[in-house]
Amino acid sequence: MTVFLEYIRKKLGWCPNAGAVRPVRRTSAEAGYGDAWKGKSPDPNPGPEPAGIAGGDRGGYQENMLLILIALAWLLPVVYDREFLPILIILSAVAVYYDAQNIRAGDKFEKETLLGDIVTWRPLTWGAATLVGGIIIMAIYLFHRKEIYRANFRGEASA
């Protein structure tokens, strides 16, 4: 069992001593068992993965689960008690601000229009709007996050 776990850790990049894993002798009944769960692959030895991408594609768009969980936490003041509302407002504003920085919101645009296209909004604008508008602005940000990402990373839109 430990050899199997070490193999999985090696494949996921979690085991720093992956080269130290030694094969275990198996009986004839167990010999084909280890390969039964593997599917047929076109290349049995695809080679090592480049550094930095083990575990998946990190270069593309990814959802921010923390923002989604904070948005779900807005249900707490409705159901339980309203004393958490100021904490949620500040936490949401800070989380949206840092996430907007990470996706480079507004970087490709020279002019920021508050009443125009929201992809031109900068991180400080998103944070301040979330501080004032609460869950409504946060929901707008979450629904348009992929559009903001595409417009500012790939330059699909211009102002």
Side-chain angles (χ1 to χ4, degrees), residues 3-9 11-12 26 30-41:
V3 174
F4 176 72
L5 291 175
E6 292 297 321
Y7 177 77
I8 296 297
R9 288 181 182 150
K11 286 295 184 185
L12 293 174
R26 299 180 186 170
E30 295 175 337
Y33 178 73
D35 298 330
W37 61 276
K38 294 181 185 175
K40 302 252 182 200
S41 63

Side-chain angles (χ1 to χ4, degrees), residues 51-63 102-104 145-146 149-150 152-154:
I53 65 165
D57 181 21
R58 301 274 188 234
Y61 174 77
Q62 294 179 348
E63 293 292 334
N102 286 339
I103 65 169
R104 298 181 184 161
R145 188 174 179 269
K146 191 170 190 175
Y149 172 82
R150 286 183 180 162
N152 289 293
F153 262 93
R154 297 191 183 112

